[in-house]
Amino acid sequence: MARGEHAPACARRWRDQAHSEQWTPWQTAQAIHGCCGVSLLKAHRLARGWSARQVIQELEEMCERQDLGEARASIDLLNAWENRRARPRPQTIDLLARLYRANAVRLGLAGDYCDDDGGTRVVVLSGGEGRAPYRAEDRIADDMERRALFHHALLGSRFVMNGRLLAEVERTRQEVDRTLAFTTVSEEQLDWLDEQVLRYRREYITSAPLPMLYRLMLELCDVRTLAAARQPAIAQRRLLSATVMLALLSADALMKLGDTRQAHAWYGTARTASDDMGDLRLRALVRAQQAMLPYYYGDLAETVRLAREARMLAGSAPSSPAALGAAAEARALARLGEHKAARIALAEAERIFARMPPEGHDHLAFRFSERRLQFYRIGTLIELGEEVDWTPGPSGTYAIDPVLILLDQAAHLVRNGKIDDACHLAEKALLQVPPEHRTSIVLSRARAVLSEVPERRHRVTAVRRLTDLLADATPVS
């Protein structure tokens, strides 16, 4: 029995009265709900005099009898649903509605937004045996009456303590307790959500951005539904954390697809969620990741600003956001021509990474791994004008970083006057990109290589082949 609920004997008295007055099960459930401080879902069970075990048995038998599939319910889950610590899945809500001969609204698992009164209103009975019925909206009037009672006591010439006032004090506490205990998400749901986010971070590295974006949207719809209802602080923080990660993945996918406006907006969403959560390391991660957008689409000074803000938020402790911030700053400074500052920032990134605890061999988005450090190191050195002896590793599951490095190398070769070598390398990079990964960010980097070729060299065979390849390439959209 949850805090604030009446003893089972109270529900039993309402069943006896319902039997003698021939109430419907729905009227009985409302009477118990209105009096005993239980959820509507639990009131349906108590109206029938069933134990939690009986409900599960009835549910399983109904599913088998009507060929409805597996019930996927247990006593623990039912208790969580009844006490508002979790919310059943839509399929389970349908099964419960069948079992109780009700609908989601009458089970307390959906809102009723109809603007009509639906005909004859079913009564909800107040506390106390044999009292007259009152409608659900009369709860508001009750609250106003209670407030008036306390105001009257405060305005009196002397404060008094009587049974009526103390009863209202107790009733107020019970309702506050029920509000605080209200939740639509269980610990199991949160654990499952954490696992889902981890899976998305793992799969994102090798997945095509467009289908991944759609999958992320579906997941975010579910998270938004859970976060829209009031949750305990711990549950709300976990939902915010999931929102940050899913929003960052969405922003990165949109950046790859070339939709800079929506990418910027989704970075803003991740920023809002991380700031609301108040976790400095998560706030730093959002800024560090957001720095990629202006780097690839034109504003290097903004990249430097965001990277430095990320480093400031991350603090002195070694972490992925701190290392990423330093590495992103180094690469942007190198492209801006601030070579000395770039080398200092790169050395700082390597120093932070060396102090980071080992995180295993699991490659995850937003984790600053050895492979990602190498990507930023090579990118920075190329922008510094140094010759880099690097070739991509053996082909396996596809990742975009090696292609971007090859295109950076091609741009460096163009600047050194090695036009043929540059165009051959850019062509090689493009041809190894699977069609579903041929996004705007790849093609724009390849076109940037071509744009640096002097006009007098445009008739060179290698240049023409690269031009034709880009003309035929259609970005994923």
Side-chain angles (χ1 to χ4, degrees):
M1 186 173 66
R3 285 201 308 171
E5 292 184 5
H6 292 185
C10 187
R12 187 163 55 250
R13 285 195 294 270
W14 282 117
R15 288 198 301 273
D16 292 341
Q17 183 173 344
H19 178 73
S20 64
E21 298 182 17
Q22 297 184 329
W23 291 349
T24 66
W26 171 223
Q27 288 175 303
T28 311
Q30 289 188 93
I32 294 171
H33 171 66
C35 171
C36 300
V38 299
S39 66
L40 273 171
L41 182 62
K42 186 171 183 177
H44 277 276
R45 174 169 66 81
L46 296 177
R48 288 160 173 78
W50 290 348
S51 66
R53 185 178 301 279
Q54 283 177 282
V55 169
I56 301 303
Q57 290 175 347
E58 293 284 344
L59 201 60
E60 290 174 348
E61 289 174 6
M62 180 191 72
C63 289
E64 184 177 356
R65 187 169 58 251
Q66 299 181 23
D67 195 22
L68 298 174
E70 188 179 355
R72 302 181 71 176
S74 66
I75 294 175
D76 288 340
L77 279 174
L78 180 63
N79 286 333
W81 299 334
E82 289 183 344
N83 293 309
R84 306 184 182 96
R85 295 195 307 273
R87 179 180 177 81
R89 296 170 180 265
Q91 299 92 327
T92 308
I93 293 176
D94 181 72
L95 294 176
L96 290 168
R98 289 171 182 264
L99 179 67
Y100 289 132
R101 296 290 188 266
N103 57 36
V105 173
R106 291 188 176 186
L107 292 177
L109 298 173
D112 186 356
Y113 305 108
C114 297
D115 55 8
D116 60 353
D117 60 9
T120 305
R121 295 297 299 267
V122 181
V123 298
V124 181
L125 301 175
S126 63
E129 187 175 359
R131 288 194 183 181
Y134 71 102
R135 295 182 302 176
E137 56 264 32
D138 290 340
R139 292 175 182 273
I140 299 174
D142 272 0
D143 189 55
M144 295 300 294
E145 182 182 347
R146 186 186 313 165
R147 291 171 64 88
L149 183 68
F150 287 125
H151 277 300
H152 181 73
L154 287 170
L155 292 172
S157 57
R158 60 189 182 88
F159 296 123
V160 296
M161 180 182 292
N162 60 41
R164 173 74 190 281
L165 284 168
L166 290 177
E168 292 299 336
V169 169
E170 171 64 14
R171 188 173 165 197
T172 301
R173 182 194 62 76
Q174 291 175 356
E175 293 185 0
V176 170
D177 279 351
R178 285 198 293 272
T179 301
L180 291 175
F182 179 78
T183 178
T184 60
V185 60
S186 68
E187 194 73 22
E188 291 80 6
Q189 284 176 296
L190 290 171
D191 289 343
W192 180 83
L193 178 59
D194 290 342
E195 292 173 6
Q196 286 289 92
V197 171
L198 196 66
R199 181 169 63 85
Y200 281 119
R201 290 178 62 191
R202 184 179 298 113
E203 294 177 358
Y204 182 81
I205 296 174
T206 57
S207 296
L210 193 57
M212 175 57 74
L213 177 66
Y214 297 154
R215 291 170 59 198
L216 290 167
M217 292 302 104
L218 289 172
E219 198 67 40
L220 278 159
C221 286
D222 290 341
V223 174
R224 189 206 64 81
T225 301
L226 293 173
R230 184 206 174 277
Q231 308 290 353
I234 294 176
Q236 195 67 29
R237 281 180 63 84
R238 292 177 69 178
L239 289 171
L240 283 171
S241 178
T243 301
V244 171
M245 289 298 178
L246 294 171
L248 280 179
L249 289 169
S250 301
D252 196 78
L254 286 160
M255 179 182 70
K256 289 179 180 178
L257 292 166
D259 193 336
T260 57
R261 184 189 67 82
Q262 287 220 63
H264 182 77
W266 275 103
Y267 279 124
T269 299
R271 189 167 182 151
T272 299
S274 66
D275 289 352
D276 190 20
M277 190 175 173
D279 187 310
L280 288 178
R281 188 169 292 187
L282 204 55
R283 293 177 65 197
L285 176 64
V286 172
R287 272 73 171 177
Q289 288 296 137
Q290 189 177 2
M292 301 302 102
L293 184 61
Y295 178 81
Y296 285 113
Y297 293 97
D299 191 351
L300 295 172
E302 178 66 4
T303 294
V304 173
R305 186 191 70 79
L306 286 168
R308 287 174 176 171
E309 187 177 348
R311 292 177 64 184
M312 180 189 70
L313 288 168
S316 58
S319 64
S320 283
L324 175 58
E329 182 182 348
R331 192 171 56 161
L333 288 170
R335 183 171 288 188
L336 284 168
E338 299 182 29
H339 290 188
K340 182 178 179 180
R343 292 183 187 279
I344 291 173
L346 180 59
E348 178 65 9
E350 292 174 334
R351 185 185 67 82
I352 293 170
F353 180 78
R355 293 170 54 214
M356 284 170 54
E359 296 182 313
H361 300 289
D362 197 8
H363 296 298
L364 297 175
F366 315 138
R367 175 180 289 177
F368 199 80
S369 61
E370 174 69 36
R371 187 167 66 179
R372 202 165 186 200
L373 174 63
Q374 183 190 44
F375 168 61
Y376 280 93
R377 181 194 294 121
I378 293 171
T380 302
L381 295 177
I382 289 172
E383 294 297 338
L384 290 173
E386 296 189 11
E387 293 290 338
V388 178
D389 184 16
W390 176 84
T391 54
S395 60
T397 53
Y398 181 77
I400 196 173
D401 290 353
V403 170
L404 295 178
I405 291 176
L406 289 175
L407 292 173
D408 282 346
Q409 284 183 311
H412 177 60
L413 290 171
V414 169
R415 290 192 288 269
N416 287 342
K418 300 178 180 179
I419 307 300
D420 284 0
D421 292 342
C423 289
H424 286 312
L425 187 59
E427 182 182 4
K428 173 185 174 183
L430 285 176
L431 289 174
Q432 76 179 49
V433 180
E436 66 273 17
H437 290 270
R438 195 170 292 135
T439 60
S440 176
I441 197 169
V442 172
L443 296 181
S444 64
R445 298 296 289 166
R447 291 190 180 101
V449 173
L450 200 57
S451 69
E452 295 194 43
V453 176
E455 190 173 350
R456 67 179 186 277
R457 303 293 301 274
H458 282 192
R459 292 189 176 277
V460 173
T461 302
V463 177
R464 286 164 49 196
R465 286 181 57 181
L466 180 59
T467 303
D468 292 342
L469 180 59
L470 283 170
D472 294 338
T474 303
V476 177
S477 60

